[in-house]
Amino acid sequence: MTASFDFSGKRVFVFGGTSGINLGIARCFARAGADVSVASRSQDKVDAAVAELEGMGSKALGYALDVRHEDAVEAALAAHAEAAGNIDVLVSGAAGNFPALANDMSPHGFKAVVDIDLLGSFHVLRYAYPHLKKPGASVINISAPQAFVAMPMQSHVCAAKAGVDMLTRTLALEWGAAGVRVNSIAPGPIADTEGMRRLAPTESIQARYTKTVPLQRFGTVDEIGHAAMFLSSDAAVYISGAVLPVDGGWSVAGAGAAALAMTELAQSSGRG
Ligand code: NAP
């Protein structure tokens, strides 16, 4: 199903927009007529995403950077402002994940996820702010249900994404008077993504996981893109500071579903 939105003449910048859910969001905005910019670490992935978005008619721009490095984020956003002007829609979605019980996780591994997801989001939001269209910009942080549903083997992601959602709420307060809206999308399990390849690596784990979703299926990257377009559209101009689960109802089932979804993976680690 294709949702119908018109973002012609708008500039969208998706951090982490070179694969998976975030590239899906970038594609949705490009299909809706926007000019789309992306950033991530791999130059090859950036080049491939830019070429694909250009092929869709977008005036695409790309930046190879690590969101953990504030100087790189600040410089890319300044260069982007020179090249393309102000940003109408900013999506901050760069993230890392690996399943591990807290007792088996090194502090370095925990810190890496917090640094990318939370500190990286702060860098992106902090240095994008001068270049956001005011009034009118829509900022979307890509969170996860782990922000509000405790999940085994996800202590790092739970902590980092809970922080991301509090950044959403705090900046909605601080930036509201300038006419900038800030929201989070919390995608549930999304098919054909790196995140789900890591959390549900076998068919039997996928089958168990699927049963924990009230709608009985994984979502699609387009379904997350549609939510991002809705939140950035005129239909959502009074929505700010919200955390929107787009998860087939998964988070309603809560921690029990999360534990069930992860049982087999935790057992295979010898600790579940
Ligand atoms: P993905 O394809 O691995 O996407 C992550 C993106 O972030 C990639 O473009 C990656 O590109 C970039 N990235 C990673 N580390 C970075 C860094 N330090 N600096 C800059 N860019 C970096 O994974 P995904 O599963 O689609 O997840 C996308 C987002 O959705 C994440 O925020 C994730 O937490 C969230 N999410 C996913 C699911 C799911 O079902 N998959 C569920 C809930 C939430 P490079 O490798 O080139 O850096």
Side-chain angles (χ1 to χ4, degrees), residues 130-199:
H131 310 299
L132 295 178
K133 185 174 177 208
K134 301 179 204 73
S138 161
V139 176
I140 295 174
N141 292 316
I142 304 303
S143 178
Q146 288 96 315
F148 43 93
V149 175
M151 191 168 189
M153 310 188 85
Q154 292 285 276
S155 59
H156 46 352
V157 175
C158 291
K161 294 295 196 182
V164 167
D165 284 351
M166 284 313 287
L167 265 182
T168 290
R169 294 188 177 99
T170 310
L171 296 184
L173 276 179
E174 294 189 6
W175 295 356
V180 174
R181 298 182 299 109
V182 188
N183 294 292
S184 283
I185 291 175
I190 303 301
D192 301 322
T193 60
E194 184 57 27
M196 287 318 293
R197 276 188 282 279
R198 290 181 183 221
L199 295 188

Side-chain angles (χ1 to χ4, degrees), residues 103-235:
N103 287 345
D104 295 333
M105 196 185 303
S106 70
H108 178 77
F110 187 94
K111 182 174 182 300
V113 168
V114 172
D115 279 355
I116 299 169
D117 295 26
L118 180 54
L119 184 60
S121 293
F122 177 74
H123 291 155
V124 169
L125 300 167
R126 165 74 179 79
Y127 291 111
Y129 184 76
H131 310 299
L132 295 178
K133 185 174 177 208
K134 301 179 204 73
S138 161
V139 176
I140 295 174
N141 292 316
I142 304 303
S143 178
Q146 288 96 315
F148 43 93
V149 175
M151 191 168 189
M153 310 188 85
Q154 292 285 276
S155 59
H156 46 352
V157 175
C158 291
K161 294 295 196 182
V164 167
D165 284 351
M166 284 313 287
L167 265 182
T168 290
R169 294 188 177 99
T170 310
L171 296 184
L173 276 179
E174 294 189 6
W175 295 356
V180 174
R181 298 182 299 109
V182 188
N183 294 292
S184 283
I185 291 175
I190 303 301
D192 301 322
T193 60
E194 184 57 27
M196 287 318 293
R197 276 188 282 279
R198 290 181 183 221
L199 295 188
T202 67
E203 277 184 21
S204 75
I205 295 176
Q206 277 169 28
R208 183 194 288 272
Y209 216 120
T210 303
K211 287 196 194 112
T212 66
V213 183
L215 289 184
Q216 300 289 295
R217 66 172 178 86
F218 284 4
T220 68
V221 294
D222 273 0
E223 287 164 346
I224 305 304
H226 294 165
M229 291 195 293
F230 162 69
L231 284 176
S232 304
S233 74
D234 289 347

